[in-house]
Amino acid sequence: MSDLFNDESLFSDQVSRPLADRMRPDRIDGIFGQEELLGNGAPLRRMIDSGKISSFILWGPPGCGKTTLAKILAHCAKMHFVALSAVFSGVADLRRAFDEAKMRRQSGEATLLFVDEIHRFNRAQQDGFLPYVENGTVVLVGATTENPSFELNGALLSRCKVFVMKPLGEAALAKLIDKAETLMERKLPLDEEARTTLIELADGDGRYFINLMESVFDLTLQEELLGKEALLKIVQQRAPAYDKDREGHYNLISALHKSLRGSDTDAAMYYAARMLEGGEDPLYILRRLTRFAMEDVGLADPLALQTAIAAWDAYERLGSPEGDIAIFELVAFLGTAPKSNASDKAAMLARRAAQKYGSLMPPAHILNAPTRLMKELGYGKGYCYDHDTPEGFSGQNYFPDKMPRQKFYLPVERGFEREIKKRLDYWDKLRREKNAKK
């Protein structure tokens, strides 16, 4: 089994194999950090142990072991392994793979078809897998870094289980260090702080982490021991993993919005920084923050919307990097502001009422009467000018005559809305008193 991934030739010894290739495991127990899938009694381990392999999708970030797992699985199940990448393969490649799998099946050999980045195949191409999966021509193992719920056809998903693979944690990365040290026959030349920094730089990507270790081994002498600053001089810091058009984009903006709603200003700052570092359009963030000011702060702090518009305007005038300060100031303002969605809820209730009572005329007494006919019809009759009352409040009804009185706006006991609530309660009291005298 040790030569599972080695394509040895007469000249193999003349070329040094990359550390990542040498460290690639050849058995299930050699895959680190995926115990929830591969530990004893775990769902994927049960499938492997039973020998009954069915089609499934592996969803996980880069460098978590998706390709390696598929290769080991095919070997354990004594299946012919075929790998395609949706980035480089087309319809002709798929047809050839299916035709060859049919021929193998006739001779009693099963085929495991591994498709990397399967989400990059379009809907029609994904539909092309269905008959071959259904009739058992191939066992399909698809790998994707994107949420299958959004990127894969429902028909394909209904025929495949989905297994989630996680980024490698600190314990798994530490095991990779031990394995690398054994292969290299020397300790990783880093002090404790530098070692921690290297693990942080990997961000859960095992393949990238091994490449970082290989750089450290190659660029240091046997007796050297690097600190954090020396390490950062020889390895390049990784760009934040962020795709503006895919799930990461929506995950982070959701995390930013919900952190603000939960008044966790520091977490909100972190997510805003991640989006900016990942290359997100600052104007998109400002648009969402302005929406938050209206939707989640509302009249609990009437300055929220003004501050959001001011920050947006400041960024458009200054651009990055100076204008980025306005974004973080706005995040801090919104995170620390009192929260209320009363206006948003009121708008929803008012729209429902408008749909239900949308054909009713306003009461005649609040209609203008610019013509004699309209006066004769009662337009404006009995209207009370509120400023002429001692309280500046007449208490008249302004809803249509055939519509029961409704309450849409229910301010909360937070921020400025506490004062608004007092005002509304006072007017309700006056309205009841004035109507009782009629």
Side-chain angles (χ1 to χ4, degrees):
M1 192 179 289
S2 61
D3 62 350
L4 176 58
F5 299 104
N6 298 341
D7 297 321
E8 298 291 349
S9 73
L10 182 63
F11 306 102
S12 292
D13 291 338
Q14 299 179 25
V15 180
S16 177
R17 290 165 55 205
L19 182 60
D21 186 47
R22 294 165 60 195
M23 288 185 62
R24 190 186 296 273
D26 55 14
R27 55 190 176 83
I28 291 295
D29 292 338
I31 298 177
F32 302 140
Q34 306 299 335
E35 287 76 14
E36 291 184 13
L37 284 182
L38 300 174
N40 290 330
L44 191 50
R45 187 59 177 262
R46 285 179 179 273
M47 182 189 292
I48 296 168
D49 291 342
S50 71
K52 297 177 181 178
I53 310 299
S54 58
S55 296
F56 60 88
I57 303 297
L58 292 173
W59 174 27
C64 65
K66 298 186 290 295
T67 305
T68 298
L69 175 56
K71 288 184 176 180
I72 295 175
L73 180 59
H75 185 74
C76 291
K78 295 181 172 56
M79 303 173 75
H80 186 85
F81 181 79
V82 177
L84 293 177
S85 169
V87 177
F88 301 110
S89 305
V91 174
D93 301 292
L94 289 174
R95 284 178 181 159
R96 183 167 54 253
F98 293 137
D99 289 342
E100 292 174 353
K102 284 181 186 177
M103 296 175 63
R104 285 189 215 98
R105 191 182 186 195
Q106 291 172 359
S107 61
E109 185 179 17
T111 300
L112 187 149
L113 176 62
F114 176 73
V115 181
D116 197 17
E117 303 288 339
I118 191 171
H119 62 276
R120 294 186 182 272
F121 277 131
N122 62 38
R123 300 286 171 171
Q125 290 170 322
Q126 289 179 31
D127 283 339
F129 288 102
L130 299 179
Y132 302 100
V133 170
E134 287 179 338
N135 65 22
T137 300
V138 298
V139 169
L140 174 66
V141 177
T144 177
T145 55
E146 300 299 328
N147 190 330
S149 302
F150 302 140
E151 302 296 333
L152 298 185
N153 280 2
L156 184 59
L157 279 178
S158 69
R159 292 160 176 81
C160 299
K161 296 181 177 68
V162 175
F163 295 116
V164 180
M165 298 187 72
K166 296 182 177 179
L168 302 192
E170 185 175 344
L173 295 175
K175 290 180 180 179
L176 289 179
I177 293 177
D178 293 340
K179 187 172 182 178
E181 290 176 336
T182 300
L183 285 171
M184 300 299 293
E185 298 181 340
R186 59 182 287 210
K187 287 290 186 181
L188 187 65
L190 300 176
D191 66 20
E192 198 60 36
E193 184 184 23
R195 178 181 166 126
T196 300
T197 300
L198 193 73
I199 289 174
E200 290 173 351
L201 288 174
D203 198 23
D205 186 332
R207 182 171 52 245
Y208 180 66
F209 184 63
I210 293 171
N211 291 337
L212 289 177
M213 286 195 293
E214 186 170 32
S215 296
V216 173
F217 280 123
D218 289 346
L219 299 176
T220 55
L221 302 174
Q222 284 282 354
E223 64 276 8
E224 278 190 283
L225 185 67
L226 305 182
K228 178 179 177 180
E229 291 186 9
L231 168 68
L232 292 176
K233 288 180 180 178
I234 64 172
V235 298
Q236 196 169 30
Q237 189 160 351
R238 188 180 192 183
Y242 185 68
D243 191 331
K244 292 185 288 182
D245 299 321
R246 297 190 180 274
E247 193 197 9
H249 165 84
Y250 299 105
N251 285 346
L252 289 187
I253 196 62
S254 175
L256 172 59
H257 197 122
K258 289 181 174 64
S259 298
L260 287 172
R261 183 179 292 153
S263 299
D264 193 336
T265 307
D266 293 322
M269 288 269 195
Y270 164 71
Y271 290 119
R274 273 189 62 179
M275 295 183 79
L276 289 170
E277 288 296 311
E280 182 58 75
D281 181 359
L283 295 178
Y284 171 76
I285 299 174
L286 285 161
R287 176 183 174 276
R288 288 296 298 254
L289 293 175
T290 303
R291 169 187 163 184
F292 181 90
M294 296 183 294
E295 186 178 294
D296 286 275
V297 177
L299 293 180
D301 190 339
L303 287 176
L305 180 56
Q306 297 178 40
T307 304
I309 297 298
W312 196 336
D313 185 48
Y315 181 84
E316 288 192 317
R317 290 171 183 267
L318 294 174
S320 292
E322 294 88 348
D324 294 349
I325 300 172
I327 296 175
F328 287 103
E329 285 183 357
L330 177 57
V331 169
F333 184 97
L334 297 177
T336 56
K339 310 297 189 297
S340 171
N341 68 341
S343 297
D344 187 42
K345 291 168 69 175
M348 180 179 63
L349 293 172
R351 285 176 178 272
R352 288 180 186 171
Q355 293 168 3
K356 184 176 181 179
Y357 300 103
S359 62
L360 298 180
M361 285 283 289
H365 66 271
I366 63 170
L367 299 178
N368 290 330
T371 68
R372 180 184 299 175
L373 175 61
M374 296 172 79
K375 289 180 181 178
E376 291 173 354
L377 292 174
Y379 283 32
K381 184 178 181 181
Y383 173 65
C384 182
Y385 189 58
D386 290 77
H387 294 295
D388 288 342
T389 67
E391 304 88 355
F393 179 82
S394 67
Q396 285 191 304
N397 179 52
Y398 297 97
F399 280 98
D401 293 332
K402 294 182 180 180
M403 178 179 173
R405 183 165 191 84
Q406 308 277 323
K407 263 195 177 294
F408 304 131
Y409 179 48
L410 301 171
V412 299
E413 288 279 1
R414 292 187 293 276
F416 185 68
E417 281 198 329
R418 183 183 291 112
E419 299 303 316
I420 295 176
K421 187 176 187 307
K422 291 179 183 177
R423 200 176 301 162
L424 292 177
D425 290 343
Y426 170 66
W427 286 334
D428 282 341
K429 176 175 173 290
L430 285 180
R431 187 180 289 111
R432 288 194 299 271
E433 291 174 352
K434 289 176 179 290
N435 290 334
K437 294 177 181 179
K438 293 180 180 178

